[in-house]
Amino acid sequence: MLQEIYQQLERDFEETVRVRRYLHQHPELSFEEEETPKFIARLLTEMGIEVKTGVGGRGVVGIIRGGRPGKTVALRADFDALPIQDLKEVAYRSTVPGKMHACGHDAHTAALLSVAKALQEKREWLSGNVVLIHQFAEELVPGGAKEMIKDGCLEGVDAIFGTHLWSTIPVGQAAFQPQAIMAAADHFEVEITGKGGHGGLPHETVDPIMLGTNWVQLVQQIVSRNVSPLDSAVITVGAFHGGDAFNIIPEKVAIKGTVRTFRTEVQQVIERKMESIVRSLCEAAGASYNYQYIKGYPPVINHARETNFVRSCAEEVLGSDNCYVTEPLMVGEDFSYYLQHVPGTFFLTGAGNAEKNAVYPHHHPRFDIDEEAMLHAGKILASAAWRFLNEKE
């Protein structure tokens, strides 16, 4: 039966590409998705699948009810875009200025829709149910997953599987991690207020630029001197704004950045030390500060049993030589919330191909994928759902 499902996915591949390119041309940002969920719901309804809309706000959930009793498995895809100008020179380039699918969520959606159709046509042979979670707002904290979970998208679910198409992994490969695969993604904002004045009379000022640059240098020592070498952590300053004239010391500077960790204890150490440093610097200089540490998504921690199971499905699709264990990534994903409630796994499906100019990293204005990756992802997810429901343990 799985071979018939694979064949169905292959026959529908042109339609999968068409759906992906339509979504690529019509991106919608996180928490602004209006037409995309309508589009998804319409296609699911046309397949004869039970559909719930407005789940958690803008989410869409489809339910395939198998012809035989059994467990319930969930498959998840996200559908929001990013505030980036699409610079690709392709026919399906974004038609919306300043917005594009620069992370592959359009392809995630198209692939899951193709899986939905294939499984729906074989529902009489399914021993259990398949929940299709189409999630809004993955890119922007607080994300859509938490609200969809609160609204019941995981009720009765025994396991959940999801994939991210990954442009830096060659198409035809898949990467797995049985433990933490993605980090907690936090961000911070620091404002230092000193005393502005003439650039030629620095002794009459309290220079916030000097204090800010000292703070940036010192926080870079937190990881090397306060975090165990056996733990992973990243502190990155991404924005530093202060002043607009060459000969004036400004009154304020504003600094923003991100922190990535896997362990709560490490996260707490960094949060405390960053404030301790800015407080000490400002007290010594006679300045004041405002410090905000905003926690983002928790780390994506996979379950080993489910990871090994889905990897076995992928090996049947791609071959064992093309499936491997990846090192954890310092990127964030709100798939983490699903895994806090039910067992499951989140894996990477290779989508890079230099011959098709799919070489740019995620969130790049020229980001693209080898669309063949959608077929690979679809087969793996379909296999995982089918085998999870129909194979006896």
Side-chain angles (χ1 to χ4, degrees), residues 210-270:
M210 181 185 69
L211 292 172
T213 54
N214 284 340
W215 183 80
V216 170
Q217 289 181 320
L218 289 171
V219 297
Q220 292 304 318
Q221 297 178 23
I222 295 175
V223 174
S224 66
R225 290 296 176 267
N226 298 106
V227 175
S228 167
L230 301 180
D231 285 317
S232 297
V234 171
I235 301 174
T236 293
V237 173
F240 190 118
H241 299 286
D244 51 17
F246 78 97
N247 61 345
I248 298 175
I249 293 173
E251 182 178 350
K252 295 182 179 181
V253 297
I255 307 168
K256 297 180 181 181
T258 187
V259 173
R260 306 297 169 105
T261 57
F262 288 106
R263 295 179 60 235
T264 301
E265 295 82 358
V266 175
Q267 180 189 55
Q268 292 172 344
V269 166
I270 292 175

Side-chain angles (χ1 to χ4, degrees), residues 22-298:
Y22 172 83
L23 293 171
H24 200 84
Q25 289 180 293
H26 301 88
E28 294 183 304
L29 301 183
S30 304
F31 298 105
E32 298 178 9
E33 308 96 333
E34 294 184 6
E35 297 305 318
T36 305
K38 292 178 183 178
F39 177 79
I40 294 168
R42 177 175 61 80
L43 291 183
L44 290 173
T45 300
E46 290 174 354
M47 297 173 194
I49 294 174
E50 179 182 330
V51 177
K52 297 179 180 180
T53 59
V55 180
R58 300 175 185 268
V60 180
V61 173
I63 303 175
I64 300 173
R65 301 195 181 277
R68 305 164 184 169
K71 296 178 292 186
T72 297
V73 64
L75 305 176
R76 176 267 205 171
D78 40 18
F79 56 73
D80 55 326
L82 286 158
I84 297 173
Q85 180 64 40
D86 194 348
L87 299 182
K88 296 190 302 299
E89 296 180 359
V90 294
Y92 50 88
R93 183 171 57 185
S94 171
T95 61
V96 184
K99 301 177 184 180
M100 74 170 287
H101 276 287
C103 204
H105 297 187
D106 52 340
H108 299 167
T109 300
L112 186 55
L113 286 169
S114 67
V115 170
K117 181 180 178 183
L119 293 178
Q120 172 70 358
E121 293 184 359
K122 301 295 184 184
R123 64 189 181 279
E124 294 182 10
W125 292 274
L126 278 174
S127 297
N129 306 317
V130 181
V131 175
L132 308 159
I133 299 175
H134 288 275
Q135 184 201 309
F136 66 103
E138 184 278 327
E139 295 287 1
L140 186 62
V141 174
K146 286 180 71 174
E147 292 305 314
M148 291 191 72
I149 293 168
K150 287 181 183 178
D151 209 3
C153 73
L154 290 181
E155 288 182 6
V157 170
D158 296 293
I160 185 168
F161 308 133
T163 188
H164 202 307
L165 302 191
W166 211 251
S167 66
T168 56
I169 296 176
V171 67
Q173 297 182 9
F176 299 84
Q177 171 52 247
Q179 299 181 46
I181 189 171
M182 293 182 177
D186 305 332
H187 78 274
F188 59 83
E189 298 181 8
V190 176
E191 184 179 79
I192 297 175
T193 302
K195 179 182 177 182
H198 197 289
L201 303 170
H203 59 291
E204 297 179 357
T205 72
V206 176
D207 188 347
I209 289 182
M210 181 185 69
L211 292 172
T213 54
N214 284 340
W215 183 80
V216 170
Q217 289 181 320
L218 289 171
V219 297
Q220 292 304 318
Q221 297 178 23
I222 295 175
V223 174
S224 66
R225 290 296 176 267
N226 298 106
V227 175
S228 167
L230 301 180
D231 285 317
S232 297
V234 171
I235 301 174
T236 293
V237 173
F240 190 118
H241 299 286
D244 51 17
F246 78 97
N247 61 345
I248 298 175
I249 293 173
E251 182 178 350
K252 295 182 179 181
V253 297
I255 307 168
K256 297 180 181 181
T258 187
V259 173
R260 306 297 169 105
T261 57
F262 288 106
R263 295 179 60 235
T264 301
E265 295 82 358
V266 175
Q267 180 189 55
Q268 292 172 344
V269 166
I270 292 175
E271 180 181 0
R272 289 196 304 267
K273 290 293 293 184
M274 289 173 67
E275 181 172 20
S276 175
I277 293 170
V278 70
R279 180 174 61 249
S280 298
L281 287 170
C282 288
E283 286 179 352
S288 60
Y289 73 93
N290 182 51
Y291 172 80
Q292 288 184 291
Y293 189 96
I294 302 97
K295 290 184 172 67
Y297 304 145

Side-chain angles (χ1 to χ4, degrees), residues 343-366:
T345 193
F346 193 64
F347 64 98
L348 307 177
T349 301
N353 189 341
E355 294 181 359
K356 297 182 179 180
N357 208 33
V359 296
Y360 295 96
H362 295 255
H363 296 208
H364 190 282
R366 298 186 186 276

